[in-house]
Structures are given as C-alpha cells and as structure tokens.
Amino acid sequence: MARRRQIYEGKAKILYEGPEPGTLIQYFKDDATAFNAQKRGTINGKGVINNRISEHIFTALQTIGVPTHFIRRVNMREQLIRQVEIIPIEVVVRNVAAGSLSKRLGIEEGTQLPRTIIEYYYKDDALGDPMIADEHIACFGWATQEEMNDIADMAIRVNDFLSGMFAAIGIRLVDFKLEFGRVYDGDYARVILADEISPDGCRLWDAKTNNKLDKDRFRQDLGGVEEAYQEVARRLGLLQPDEDFAVLDLDEHRKKRGK
Ligand code: TMP
C-alpha cells in the first residue's frame, strides 16, 4: 500500500489523509502524556481500547442526534472520520469535583456538584491550555456566539447521555473533555463533535468503590492502568472476559512480523 500522507501528530493520535476528500484516518497510539506532556509513558493496548470505546460512544451519540466526525472504524487502531476545522477550545464538563477544579478552588475530590459545570480551555500546548471565559472566546474570535450555544447544548446532551450509559454499568462519570470542529456546506459552517471520548479524557470512577478507571491511574502512578482501561471496555460489552491485549493487538503483531 502506498505510504499515506500524515496530516498531524498529536500526543495520543496521528491523523492521516483519508481515502476521499474531506475524510481523515485517525490512528490511536499507546502513548500517554500528562501535565502538558511533562510526564510521558506508554499504556499497552490503550490505542486499541480507545479506538473501540470512542467508536461505541460516538455511534451511540449519533443515534440520539448529536452530530460527530466519526464515520466508521477501519481496524484495531484506526477509524475513518470527517475532516473538520478544529475549534481551539477544550470543553470540560464536570459533575463531581476532581482534578484541577479541586486543586484550584479547594473543593474536596468526590464532592457531588449541585449543578453541572462547563469550563473552557484554550487549546494551546505552549501556553499550557489556560482556562478561558466566554469573553475571551468572543474577543479573540475563536468561535461565534451561535457556535458556543451549539457547543454548550451538545456538551449537556453528551453529559446526560453518557452519565446514564456509565451509571448502567456501575461507573460514575465525574468529568470529561470534548473537542468540536466545523464542517462546511458551501459557506455555511456547522459544528460537530470531534476528537475522541475515552478513559484518556474522562474521569470514570467505580460507582461502589470509587476506584479510578481512567488516565488518573497513569497521572498519579496508581498502577493497574491497562487493567482499568480494559475494565471500562469490558463493562461496555466491547471486550469478552477472556480477551486480552495479545488478542486485541493482533494487527500490531502482524505488522511487527512484517506481514
Ligand atoms: P482537569 O481536572 O485536569 O482540568 O481535567 C478535567 C477533565 O478533562 C478530565 O476528565 C481529564 C480531561 N483532560 C483532558 O482530556 N486533557 C487535558 O489536557 C486536561 C488538562 C484534562
């Protein structure tokens, strides 16, 4: 197969040119970073699991009418997506105090919030993704007011849907991060959900034990990182109880053997 043109490499994913104009291939790596890439590591099989989990969630969101960039999964580590113009804003939705909210405001981790909070961060690694307000978004033209209304509406719908989906499998959706992008229909721009939804960008706690089943295990050196990602996939019905990474990573093994 001809070498594909790489469009972009991020910390956890690579984007390649897709088979048709307006499409891309999104490749999920096992690389993990935290604290703006000051901490780096590998979570074995993460790319495979995140590809599956994100496929599952984006497909489900599409069935309730949330537009996304997802078209279809093509193999263990890759999915076909629509090319979008990424809006440089990370949208964080919080149901329970944790992470930077607890740190910044001194609210004990695990405190149920009386209402859902949406926060915005400017997507700029060099600046360390600073928190921003609507005023900054309007002032610097990162998105229009109409786009921000659509984004907030979609973020709430995603939160309601995912909170229920995870509650049904004994998982508390503490918080998560979303990214959005524009697609054009002639001159008309529409905002759709982009990036991924996986344990990399969500806090997922076991509902009974409050055990962390997400990237905080890596960030905080808690151990059992691979197992946590597998557990989420298993509860979502995406991994059979006896499936492990040796099976899941067949594509990788074949590639390494040069087949
Ligand atoms: P925070 O508490 O560190 O602000 O993180 C809130 C949520 O956003 C958490 O679920 C992890 C996710 N997140 C990302 O996906 N990428 C990031 O760069 C950061 C800082 C957080």
Side-chain angles (χ1 to χ4, degrees):
M1 195 178 88
R3 196 88 195 102
R4 287 175 304 187
R5 195 158 69 91
Q6 185 175 312
I7 305 286
Y8 175 81
E9 176 157 12
K11 287 176 283 202
K13 295 189 291 296
I14 304 174
L15 296 176
Y16 297 100
E17 201 170 54
E20 279 151 40
T23 66
L24 295 175
I25 296 288
Q26 178 164 258
Y27 176 95
F28 288 76
K29 301 193 278 187
D30 284 349
D31 299 356
T33 62
F35 315 117
N36 202 17
Q38 288 178 65
K39 180 182 171 77
R40 287 173 182 277
T42 303
I43 302 173
N44 287 323
K46 171 172 85 77
V48 177
I49 298 265
N50 283 359
N51 188 20
R52 290 275 286 270
I53 292 177
S54 206
E55 170 195 24
H56 180 78
I57 293 176
F58 275 54
T59 303
L61 287 171
Q62 278 167 349
T63 68
I64 62 153
V66 175
T68 85
H69 73 165
F70 180 81
I71 302 173
R72 65 187 150 83
R73 186 167 65 83
V74 290
N75 60 39
M76 305 282 256
R77 285 181 182 273
E78 295 176 333
Q79 47 183 243
L80 181 67
I81 57 169
R82 288 190 69 174
Q83 184 161 26
V84 302
E85 180 181 282
I86 279 286
I87 294 171
I89 299 170
E90 300 200 345
V91 179
V92 170
V93 181
R94 299 181 188 272
N95 300 306
V96 176
S100 69
L101 178 95
S102 292
K103 204 166 166 193
R104 197 160 10 91
L105 303 179
I107 297 167
E108 194 186 346
E109 183 170 276
T111 308
Q112 184 72 43
L113 299 171
R115 48 172 286 174
T116 297
I117 294 175
I118 305 185
E119 295 172 346
Y120 303 110
Y121 294 83
Y122 182 46
K123 197 172 148 58
D124 186 318
D125 282 342
L127 297 174
D129 296 344
M131 192 174 177
I132 50 175
D134 284 289
E135 289 285 297
H136 301 98
I137 297 168
C139 178
F140 300 113
W142 293 321
T144 66
Q145 191 52 58
E146 207 184 340
E147 287 173 335
M148 289 314 294
N149 293 343
D150 289 347
I151 285 173
D153 286 350
M154 282 190 265
I156 292 300
R157 288 191 73 194
V158 172
N159 184 49
D160 288 345
F161 180 80
L162 290 187
S163 294
M165 190 191 83
F166 281 117
I169 53 171
I171 290 176
R172 187 140 80 124
L173 180 62
V174 170
D175 58 32
F176 59 96
K177 186 260 296 181
L178 299 175
E179 292 188 30
F180 295 86
R182 290 183 193 96
V183 285
Y184 288 90
D185 232 337
D187 279 347
Y188 177 73
R190 198 161 59 89
V191 174
I192 65 176
L193 186 62
D195 193 48
E196 70 179 295
I197 299 181
S198 72
D200 267 14
C202 300
R203 286 199 173 88
L204 304 169
W205 294 357
D206 180 84
K208 281 208 192 96
T209 63
N210 279 335
N211 274 346
K212 296 181 200 294
L213 299 172
D214 56 59
K215 203 167 101 176
D216 268 352
R217 301 206 73 84
F218 168 79
R219 292 189 189 98
Q220 300 170 9
D221 295 318
L222 299 177
V225 188
E226 280 87 359
E227 291 77 4
Y229 280 69
Q230 285 185 50
E231 179 62 19
V232 175
R234 197 171 289 126
R235 289 197 200 179
L236 285 169
L238 306 175
L239 243 193
Q240 297 316 305
D242 56 349
E243 259 187 302
D244 64 12
F245 289 116
V247 177
L248 273 173
D249 244 349
L250 217 57
D251 285 1
E252 281 300 290
H253 289 297
R254 283 205 196 98
K255 232 187 284 169
K256 275 184 196 140
R257 295 206 317 261
K259 291 193 181 161

